[in-house]
Amino acid sequence: MTPSLEYTPELAKEMTPLYERLQAVIPSVEWPFHAPLIHAINVLKRERGAVILAHNYQTPEIFHGVADITGDSLKLAREAQNADADVIVQCGVHFMAETSKLLNPDKTILLPDARAGCSLAASVTGEDVRMLRQAYPGVPVVTYVNTSAEVKAESDICCTSSNVLAVVESLNAPRVLCIPDEYLARNVARQTDVEVIAWKGRCEVHERFSAQDLRTYRESDPGIAIIAHPECPPDVIHEADFSGSTSGMAKWIDAHRPGRVIMVTECSMSDNLAVEYPQVEFVRPCNLCPHMKRITLRNILDSLIEMREEIKIPADIAARARKPIERMLRLNS
Ligand code: 13P
Ligand code: SF4
């Protein structure tokens, strides 16, 4: 049964402290729609014994309003492994929910919109990996977590943007395949003596940033800080003061407290940090991930009411796909 979603004076009062935190990033006209949903989700998740994991690219009303745990892909994978709950609602994209399922085969993993995909995950299939292994016999396959379980099942080890260098070097091999993100592979290749063979996948959000745009910002404000995600093209990374995973970028902001900063990544990340660092001015060359944005308060509530969309992975694929993730998690523990 759908709970009441009326914005009553009592609810408005109860939710005022949260809105005071979020008012810089959520317009007041939107709050009466968000507040009842946030309240209803928080009540229902307790009733269901559910925990909500949210990626750093989720919108502020999700990230600050209903998430129990937030972070980058690596942190969410670790937290999924440790989650003390029967139900995990994954506020992120499909491969993240699959990773949670692989690490928690006996738990119920819900993705509020099963269509939340990823251009990187869509760029490579299990058959492609088998073909690569034939073309490069004996060369280990490092697979970005932004892939399907079917692709992970064909891989030696997974990586995320925060541990890719450590993973590549852990293999003690003269060359490795690093798939499917071409730019992540080229960016890590510049930091290691290992020969890194790339695939042609791209993140549709990060490939759109241009080095020329960043130079233009820098010319108009030489003191501005620029931090970029390693899914960006190498010439964009070259213009940045720092490059790291989404959590790496958040840590950089915390350590450096710049006056003005450009976050060269998905838009909501700046909104979420702006709530925590009101003294930092975030310049937002805004690119939205359409897949991350499929997750809304409304479909999170529906997912808890109807217990859907439940992630299921065929047992034979799951057994093989779990190994490269666990190998990665062991490496970093
Ligand atoms: P991280 O949060 O691991 O840096 O990944 C970014 C991303 O694009 C996830 O889809
Ligand atoms: Fe995929 Fe890029 Fe969206 Fe992340 S931001 S889910 S890598 S398309």
Side-chain angles (χ1 to χ4, degrees), residues 177-294:
L177 283 146
C178 184
I179 61 169
D181 187 345
E182 180 194 352
Y183 292 149
L184 185 80
R186 283 172 51 192
N187 288 325
V188 76
R190 296 201 314 192
Q191 304 169 52
T192 179
D193 293 333
V194 178
E195 185 192 341
V196 180
I197 303 162
W199 182 251
K200 279 282 181 204
R202 304 270 175 85
C203 163
E204 68 189 87
V205 175
H206 291 96
E207 71 170 349
R208 297 213 301 271
F209 293 109
S210 91
Q212 184 51 50
D213 288 348
L214 298 185
R215 284 193 287 273
T216 306
Y217 279 113
R218 194 82 91 183
E219 276 158 27
S220 68
D221 178 359
I224 202 163
I226 299 180
I227 63 176
H229 194 276
E231 290 169 9
C232 292
D235 61 340
V236 168
I237 299 297
H238 185 69
E239 298 298 327
D241 300 302
F242 170 78
S243 168
S245 79
T246 53
S247 290
M249 294 166 105
K251 280 190 199 127
W252 192 94
I253 297 285
D254 188 60
H256 292 81
R257 310 286 171 122
R260 288 183 92 210
V261 62
I262 303 182
M263 303 268 295
V264 190
T265 191
E266 214 268 355
C267 253
S268 293
M269 172 99 202
S270 297
D271 290 343
N272 291 330
L273 287 173
V275 171
E276 278 157 39
Y277 301 96
Q279 70 284 20
V280 176
E281 185 190 341
F282 289 87
V283 179
R284 298 162 209 201
C286 207
N287 283 348
L288 285 173
C289 172
H291 312 290
M292 289 279 177
K293 264 55 220 181
R294 282 198 180 274

Side-chain angles (χ1 to χ4, degrees), residues 88-164:
I88 294 177
V89 182
Q90 194 88 30
C91 296
V93 291
H94 195 270
F95 74 81
M96 295 177 175
E98 274 194 340
T99 302
S100 292
K101 183 67 185 174
L102 290 170
L103 293 168
N104 291 282
D106 300 329
K107 288 184 182 159
T108 303
I109 312 296
L110 303 175
L111 181 63
D113 188 329
R115 296 168 302 172
C118 169
S119 64
L120 284 169
S123 75
V124 64
T125 64
E127 180 57 33
D128 292 329
V129 186
R130 288 192 289 276
M131 219 176 57
L132 281 169
R133 283 202 187 274
Q134 277 178 7
Y136 296 95
V139 177
V141 179
V142 175
T143 295
Y144 200 27
V145 280
N146 299 39
T147 45
S148 65
E150 186 210 0
V151 166
K152 290 184 177 81
E154 302 294 337
S155 309
D156 292 298
I157 186 166
C158 286
C159 71
T160 74
S161 56
S162 70
N163 63 14
V164 55

